[in-house]
Amino acid sequence: MSERFFVPCPRGLEGVLAQELARLGVERPEPASAGVGFAGEFALGAWVNLTSRIATRVLWQVGEGDYRNEDELYRLARDIPWPRHFAVECTIRVDVRAQRSPLRSLEFAALRVKDAVCDRFRAQLGARPSVDTVAPQVRLWVFLQERRARLYLDLSGEPLYRRGFKRSTVAAPLKENLAAGILMLTGWRPEEPLVDPMCGSGTFLLEAAMAARGIAPGLARGFALENLENFDPAQWRALRQRAKALRRDVPLRLWGSDVDPAMVAAARDNLAAAGLEEAVHWQVADVGELVAPAPEGVLVANPPYGVRLDEAQRLAAWYPRLGDALKRHWTGWRAWILTADPELPRAIGLKASRRVPLFNGALECRLLEYRLVAGPMRRRTSTPP
């Protein structure tokens, strides 16, 4: 039986997510704003949970209809046979997202949907599920457009960027699925050298190593789909075995460094937790001191950006140094830099060959590509668009 799914992702990655889903067996993925829709068997939704590197969640559509007010939304939700989907003993949470909805309060809309679910259980079973807003076993999502509502059950639970490997974190970390999407945007291939000169907790390196060796990102964690009534343990074991069989031991050419020894230690710890520490050459060094380890390859970085005035002033002097170092030491390479700082493209002093709008959560960013060719330094003196 074919089901409908929606797979959210960081904004800006819809295209590469659609490409990834096609490789995972999805026919005709449908990119939309901040995600991709598709149709397929329930097992395909489970497979995407296990193997997608870019998805944030996998949502299974269980209801859809028109509405004009909270009462009509309540009736739409109450008509769904919820006891067929999960047991009354499961704890639940309802989240509502809206675009051009006529409803004034999304909190009240969520309350009405919760009431509808509980009333349906009470009518059929004489009991109702409990609410847990922190760690629910079953999470319901409601997406409201101007006149249309769609209701989903969350097959993921914890967001999929929580792979289950990391032991050490840093302030303002880069989400794993955004890092995986950026690596796809760079066109990096596993046989190419890859350098992260500001590695932080090692997210780019971990995602690169896992992708190159075919390690499914969901193998180290559990999923909310295991709490649903249609969960098939035998089928799930088969899917996990299929995912494990994708692993391949191939040599990697990865380099990670940071000026802060604590960051290098954190990154090494995280890759060690995934059994991948040996895949990376590690170094404590400032980016300006590094020399390219090969004639060509991909450099990818998520440098700091200024929030306070003193940080902004410090970085205004640091960005030109970064540009000079890239031009001097990385000729022949493709450098990709993610930044939320509008001053970086102006101050780095290099002409970007590509600018990709991306969002890290709610934070608007730009992914900038610099093709580092031999010759005189090409400096930007005007403001880039």
CSV table of all heavy atoms in Angstrom, one decimal, residues 86 234 258 309 351:
chain,number,residue,atom,x,y,z
A,86,PHE,N,-1.4,3.8,17.0
A,86,PHE,CA,-0.5,3.7,18.2
A,86,PHE,C,-1.4,3.3,19.4
A,86,PHE,O,-2.6,3.6,19.4
A,86,PHE,CB,0.3,4.9,18.5
A,86,PHE,CG,-0.4,6.2,18.7
A,86,PHE,CD1,-0.8,6.6,20.0
A,86,PHE,CD2,-0.7,7.0,17.6
A,86,PHE,CE1,-1.4,7.8,20.2
A,86,PHE,CE2,-1.4,8.2,17.8
A,86,PHE,CZ,-1.8,8.6,19.1
A,234,ALA,N,10.4,-7.8,12.2
A,234,ALA,CA,11.2,-8.6,11.3
A,234,ALA,C,11.6,-7.8,10.1
A,234,ALA,O,12.8,-7.9,9.6
A,234,ALA,CB,10.4,-9.9,10.8
A,258,ASP,N,42.6,22.6,14.0
A,258,ASP,CA,42.0,23.8,14.7
A,258,ASP,C,43.1,24.5,15.5
A,258,ASP,O,44.0,23.8,15.9
A,258,ASP,CB,40.8,23.4,15.6
A,258,ASP,CG,39.9,24.5,15.9
A,258,ASP,OD1,40.2,25.4,16.6
A,258,ASP,OD2,38.7,24.5,15.3
A,309,LEU,N,30.6,43.5,19.4
A,309,LEU,CA,31.4,44.5,18.7
A,309,LEU,C,32.9,44.1,18.7
A,309,LEU,O,33.6,44.2,17.7
A,309,LEU,CB,31.2,45.9,19.3
A,309,LEU,CG,32.0,47.0,18.6
A,309,LEU,CD1,31.6,47.1,17.2
A,309,LEU,CD2,31.8,48.3,19.4
A,351,LYS,N,37.2,36.6,-4.9
A,351,LYS,CA,36.0,36.6,-5.7
A,351,LYS,C,35.3,35.3,-5.6
A,351,LYS,O,35.9,34.3,-6.1
A,351,LYS,CB,36.2,37.0,-7.1
A,351,LYS,CG,35.0,37.1,-8.0
A,351,LYS,CD,35.3,37.5,-9.4
A,351,LYS,CE,34.1,37.4,-10.3
A,351,LYS,NZ,33.0,38.3,-9.9
